[in-house]
Amino acid sequence: MITRRHFLNTAAATAGLAATSANAQGFLIPEQQLPRVVRIDRDYATGEIHVEPSSFKLYWMIGPGLAMEYSVGIGRAGLYESGDFIIQVKKEWPSWTPTPAMIERSPASYAQYADGMAGGINNPLGARALYLFSGNRDTYLRIHGTNAPRTIGSAVSNGCVRLVNSHISDLYNRVPVNTRAVLH
């Protein structure tokens, strides 16, 4: 059950996010894309993540009918994969290796990274990543940061869900391993 203290602390943390939502390139996140506590009329359980691709929103359920709402970018047409997943791994400044399918689709963009890329500010996974599993199988889908904040609110990724780095850092700190994540 959500307490008044939890609600106020969450609201205070969200206000702090607004102050840190400009990235190093000087891009200011539009106000409507800032994280906020919202009432939600869906039957989502507390402690779960739900991504609604039609609205480009991710909801971290903090209480019955109450969620932290984050704006996201999603997989482009044909690459967004809905499903019911479990977050089994969390990483700060994760390394990244494009999948064979990504290299095949766009060798000019991805072949140079076939052996992987170390974590860091230029890494496409950004500051944090939540790894989505189906059973014990890594799906190679992630909820992660991005070094391209202008892509939030659009369908441009290779299937992953992306948030601005400061927003994924906030979500990362809230979400424990073994959290259910539903991509609708």
Side-chain angles (χ1 to χ4, degrees), residues 135-153:
N136 288 322
R137 180 183 62 85
D138 185 354
T139 64
Y140 297 100
L141 294 173
R142 311 287 185 248
I143 298 172
H144 64 81
T146 182
N147 55 13
R150 287 177 174 83
T151 63
I152 301 303

Side-chain angles (χ1 to χ4, degrees), residues 62-138:
I62 56 176
L66 198 61
M68 280 295 299
E69 177 189 81
Y70 300 87
S71 292
V72 298
I74 62 167
R76 61 184 179 266
L79 297 178
Y80 183 83
E81 185 178 332
S82 61
D84 196 326
F85 306 98
I86 298 294
I87 296 166
Q88 287 192 11
V89 176
K90 295 171 48 170
K91 292 188 181 178
E92 297 183 17
W93 296 106
S95 61
W96 169 74
T97 302
T99 65
M102 291 169 67
I103 295 170
E104 184 177 323
R105 272 193 304 276
S106 185
S109 298
Y110 300 118
Q112 62 187 322
Y113 303 111
D115 292 330
M117 174 189 261
I121 196 67
N122 294 319
N123 185 302
L125 293 184
R128 306 286 184 272
L130 307 173
Y131 291 61
L132 303 182
F133 282 69
S134 179
N136 288 322
R137 180 183 62 85
D138 185 354

